[in-house]
Amino acid sequence: MTHNDVPHDRFEYQEMIVGIAHRRTGPTNFRRFTTRHGHSLQIGEVRSPMAALNEMGDEGWQVVREQPVVHEQHPWVVAELQEADADVVSVSSSREYLLVRRVRAGEAQAS
């Protein structure tokens, strides 16, 4: 058996940003994922940031890093939310999470 024959642990990573999108009609939660396959945005589909984290944990994801999102540093978050929902006027309480999970040998990466 050579070094190349030894199975290695593989991991996949994703970034998740959760927060509150303030619409003219009232606040709602949002979640944005970024993976190596691209990104997706959900507005109003998430009950709370904790619910989003619990859902990811159920799928085997673990938090590696957590930090607040400063919108002046990430204007694309606000711009993307406003592009997806013209009723969004501002965003607050956003947090960014770096998530990781082990990929089993032979498992296709779905994310």
Side-chain angles (χ1 to χ4, degrees):
M1 180 178 277
T2 68
H3 175 71
N4 291 337
D5 295 331
V6 178
H8 297 283
D9 287 341
R10 294 185 53 214
F11 298 90
E12 64 179 323
Y13 297 87
Q14 78 175 342
E15 174 189 71
M16 179 175 73
I17 297 174
V18 295
I20 300 171
H22 297 278
R23 294 174 164 160
R24 289 178 184 86
T25 56
T28 190
N29 292 298
F30 75 90
R31 168 170 54 180
R32 184 186 194 278
F33 295 107
T34 303
T35 68
R36 70 185 193 140
H37 303 290
H39 68 272
S40 65
L41 178 66
Q42 300 172 327
I43 303 172
E45 300 173 34
V46 180
R47 289 190 324 259
S48 70
M50 188 56 66
L53 283 173
N54 284 333
E55 182 181 314
M56 300 309 294
D58 290 345
E59 295 176 8
W61 293 96
Q62 296 180 344
V63 175
V64 175
R65 184 187 72 223
E66 173 187 1
Q67 64 189 24
V69 174
V70 178
H71 295 292
E72 291 77 18
Q73 294 174 331
H74 299 288
W76 50 267
V77 173
V78 176
E80 188 174 341
L81 282 163
Q82 290 174 333
E83 183 178 312
D85 185 340
D87 199 31
V88 173
V89 292
S90 66
V91 176
S92 66
S93 303
S94 300
R95 303 215 45 96
E96 177 183 47
Y97 299 90
L98 177 61
L99 304 164
V100 64
R101 73 176 169 184
R102 186 180 312 271
V103 179
R104 293 181 186 91
E107 182 179 282
Q109 294 183 0
S111 297

